[in-house]
Amino acid sequence: MAVASNLCRIVITGVGTVAPIGVGKDAFWKSLLSGQSGIGHLHAIPPEGFPSKLAAEVQDFDPQLIYCRKALKVMSRDTALGVAAASLAMKDAGLSNGVIDPERLGVSYGCGRISSTPDDLFQAAASSLNEKHRFEFERFGEEALDKIAPLWFIKKLPNMPACHISIEHDARGPNNTITSRDASGLQALAEGMNVILRDAADVMIVGACSSNIHPVDITKFHLFESLTRREDDPQAACRPFDVTRDGTVVGEGGAAFVIETLDHALRRGAPIYAEVLAVGQGCDGTGWHNGSGGRGVARAVQAAVRKAGIEPTDIGHINAHGKSTQRDDLVEARGYHWGLGDAARRIPVTAMKSYFGNCDAGAGAVELAGSVLALKHGVLPSTLNYRIPDPRCQLNVVHGDPIELRNFTAMSVNRTSMGQSVAAIIRAV
């Protein structure tokens, strides 16, 4: 395989994580290595009335990580987690304001739909009802708008994480937000790479964040995504690729990365975690049931392998989407067999949602952080709660104890229920 020049090789030089199993890369890695789950009983909101009463919550999040305490007033939980992750990544990369030309520093960040709470709009809605308790648009315009906080909408915009990150780090270069649900994090990575390769920036802050610890999101996930009904042993509830899996667990979190060319990183003496060889994408088709085929996963992994200039047998491990629903895990496994052939049975697979549930848009970034740190430490964390292999999946799922890496090339994969899939291949440098 021909090696690209250092000007064309994109590397990761900073990692920041805010997750249910740890804030900061060291705490995050320690939990992965020791098999410590972040899933427990729901605490942030009363669990009564929800069919699933489990969640993966960030318990030790310190708002002091935010650059300005006043900014918290216009941040949703999602945004605060994402901004903090980016701050940690920039610190890890050894970059402070002014080190990089602001015009050459950009942001590409993923975020999901940020839900409102009933309290946000209750008074406005009540003011719009007539004597027969029917909604009247005239009253909404005349009376109800005064009941809504002026900056309410600012908290709900999905581009706010990228905006606040650019403000904190004086990043005046290209700025973009990706809203592709579970695929958002890796797509943000791909966008950041493209910005650098077209010479529109020297350094990009990339990543994703989301929080689904919300009554609307929990209800939505139960109706459309299948949440686990297990309550007796929360830490054993999320069990990707296990035949007894019965659903995923809602979560929250964010992860950010600093990326730049290898040449730029070497010139400034930056720490280098890994090189991003390629990001491939694919989709199953059209319609609500397009995610049931698995062709999207197959196309994404094939595209990534082709762009990276490697063979499926060169992949050291797969960091799987591993959602822990009967349908999603089966579809994903099918995609690996179609896309990677016989290698799909042999490549070690880990599924990190077993540690921190599914935080939707932020999940891919948090999982990618796991593989980046695995390459750094030479150890692959196992999949929790994998006890009875699903014979329909036929994957080499790592379980029990972590394993030492013999191959330092990794593939991280995410997909949406609609069939949009993305795969990133990274390699230790």
Side-chain angles (χ1 to χ4, degrees):
M1 179 180 70
V3 179
S5 72
N6 290 351
L7 288 171
C8 298
R9 298 172 67 184
I10 304 297
V11 295
I12 297 171
T13 56
V15 178
T17 59
V18 179
I21 60 171
V23 176
K25 61 184 177 65
D26 294 335
F28 178 76
W29 176 250
K30 182 179 179 181
S31 293
L32 285 177
L33 203 59
S34 63
Q36 180 61 50
S37 170
I39 297 173
H41 291 288
L42 184 61
H43 292 294
I45 54 179
E48 291 78 15
F50 294 123
S52 178
K53 297 176 174 56
L54 303 182
E57 302 173 67
V58 179
Q59 302 282 0
D60 51 354
F61 176 64
D62 183 1
Q64 294 286 350
L65 290 170
I66 303 300
Y67 65 100
C68 174
R69 291 185 63 84
K70 290 183 178 179
L72 284 169
K73 296 180 180 180
V74 291
M75 287 187 186
S76 66
R77 174 75 168 182
D78 314 55
T79 300
L81 298 175
V83 171
S87 298
L88 291 170
M90 286 291 280
K91 182 178 180 180
D92 188 44
L95 292 175
S96 56
N97 287 11
V99 173
I100 303 295
D101 178 358
E103 305 294 336
R104 303 287 296 175
L105 175 61
V107 181
S108 177
Y109 226 69
C111 187
R113 178 183 56 81
I114 302 175
S115 299
S116 291
T117 63
D119 292 341
D120 289 333
L121 303 174
F122 175 78
Q123 288 195 9
S127 299
S128 303
L129 301 179
N130 61 22
E131 293 73 14
K132 295 181 179 180
H133 298 286
R134 292 181 179 177
F135 187 89
E136 289 188 0
F137 285 101
E138 293 80 5
R139 291 196 178 193
F140 182 80
E142 296 172 357
E143 302 176 30
L145 287 178
D146 291 337
K147 309 292 184 181
I148 301 175
L151 299 179
W152 162 79
F153 193 56
I154 296 295
K155 288 186 175 183
K156 310 306 173 186
L157 295 173
N159 63 316
M160 282 297 103
C163 290
H164 283 287
I165 291 168
S166 65
I167 292 170
E168 176 180 1
H169 302 288
D170 195 22
R172 306 177 198 172
N175 188 299
N176 198 10
T177 295
I178 309 295
T179 54
S180 297
R181 295 204 58 190
D182 312 66
S184 300
L186 297 186
Q187 286 186 339
L189 171 64
E191 169 68 12
M193 291 175 63
N194 289 335
V195 170
I196 294 174
L197 292 175
R198 66 172 184 261
D199 196 31
D202 293 324
V203 176
M204 290 291 291
I205 305 169
V206 302
C209 59
S210 191
S211 176
N212 297 127
I213 312 301
H214 187 285
V216 174
D217 293 324
I218 293 174
T219 302
K220 177 191 70 175
F221 274 110
H222 172 68
L223 293 174
F224 298 107
E225 305 286 350
S226 298
L227 295 180
T228 180
R229 296 295 189 95
R230 302 177 189 274
E231 293 184 40
D232 55 331
D233 187 359
Q235 296 193 351
C238 191
R239 44 185 71 187
F241 303 110
D242 187 280
V243 74
T244 65
R245 64 190 183 276
D246 73 327
T248 192
V249 175
V250 293
E252 62 179 356
F257 310 91
V258 174
I259 62 172
E260 54 196 295
T261 65
L262 177 58
D263 179 69
H264 191 274
L266 291 174
R267 279 193 283 111
R268 71 178 190 87
I272 298 175
Y273 286 91
E275 177 182 0
V276 185
L277 297 183
V279 180
Q281 301 187 52
C283 191
D284 275 359
T286 60
W288 171 250
H289 294 293
N290 68 356
S292 62
R295 292 294 180 187
V297 173
R299 291 170 179 138
V301 300
Q302 286 176 335
V305 167
R306 182 179 65 254
K307 291 168 68 175
I310 64 174
E311 298 295 328
T313 52
D314 295 325
I315 300 171
H317 79 263
I318 296 174
N319 195 333
H321 187 62
K323 198 169 178 179
S324 189
T325 72
Q326 286 288 332
R327 174 181 180 267
D328 287 287
D329 288 5
L330 179 59
V331 168
E332 184 180 2
R334 185 188 301 159
Y336 292 143
H337 289 289
W338 285 340
L340 301 174
D342 292 339
R345 296 176 180 269
R346 298 188 294 273
I347 300 172
V349 173
T350 188
M352 295 184 180
K353 286 186 178 67
S354 58
Y355 292 81
F356 42 74
N358 182 26
C359 62
D360 198 52
V366 179
E367 289 159 9
L368 179 63
S371 278
V372 171
L373 295 174
L375 294 182
K376 175 186 177 182
H377 295 284
V379 179
L380 181 62
S382 63
T383 302
L384 300 182
N385 311 317
Y386 184 78
R387 297 164 184 167
I388 308 176
D390 187 338
R392 300 170 298 171
C393 293
Q394 296 292 307
L395 297 176
N396 180 21
V397 179
V398 178
H399 57 288
D401 296 324
I403 62 172
E404 290 189 14
L405 290 180
R406 298 181 178 178
N407 181 324
F408 286 78
T409 300
M411 174 184 283
S412 190
V413 180
N414 290 107
R415 62 180 295 274
T416 71
S417 296
M418 294 292 287
Q420 187 174 18
S421 302
V422 58
I425 297 179
I426 61 175
R427 179 177 60 193
V429 176

